[in-house]
Amino acid sequence: MAAKQPQDHKTPKNQPKTVEVMGVTVTVDPAIFNDLDMVEYLYDLQTAQTGDGSGAFAIVPFLKKLCGDQYTAMKDALRDPDTGRVSIDKVSDFIAQLLEQVAPNS
């Protein structure tokens, strides 16, 4: 009898997933998306452009919750070495790439 070959090496949807995005390694538990706070942060971020812009500030708690202990490493990796700033454009790219890799419905 031949040995069984694994059919899929993907991480199960309910298990934490470790990904690398823009030089940052982040482990995200998909259960984080089953949290009203996270849904509110996402809503605020998505509607910030059409409202008064105040929802844009949801980016900070959103990233802190999403990145957990890797939050500071993420900021350091995205920081421009010349200016010392972490541009919102770069952060937006990071979020888009991260969500693409870890979002449970993608």
Side-chain angles (χ1 to χ4, degrees), residues 3-106:
K4 287 187 177 182
Q5 294 294 324
Q7 297 298 315
D8 194 352
H9 292 288
K10 290 184 179 180
T11 304
K13 285 188 176 188
N14 61 350
Q15 296 296 314
K17 186 173 185 179
T18 301
V19 297
E20 184 174 327
V21 177
M22 299 175 72
V24 182
T25 301
V26 182
T27 300
V28 178
D29 185 343
I32 199 165
F33 296 104
N34 187 20
D35 178 347
L36 182 58
D37 288 332
M38 290 300 283
V39 173
E40 287 176 349
Y41 298 147
L42 284 168
Y43 173 82
D44 289 344
L45 291 171
Q46 289 181 340
T47 60
Q49 294 177 342
T50 59
D52 63 4
S54 63
F57 294 111
I59 198 166
V60 174
F62 172 79
L63 281 169
K64 284 185 173 185
K65 196 163 192 172
L66 186 64
C67 294
D69 293 342
Q70 296 104 350
Y71 178 75
T72 301
M74 176 274 300
K75 283 182 21 179
D76 291 342
L78 301 182
R79 189 175 308 282
D80 184 296
D82 297 327
T83 65
R85 295 183 183 128
V86 181
S87 84
I88 295 301
D89 290 336
K90 208 166 193 180
V91 171
S92 294
D93 290 343
F94 174 82
I95 291 171
Q97 290 178 35
L98 180 62
L99 289 178
E100 186 177 299
Q101 291 188 47
V102 300
N105 296 323
S106 61

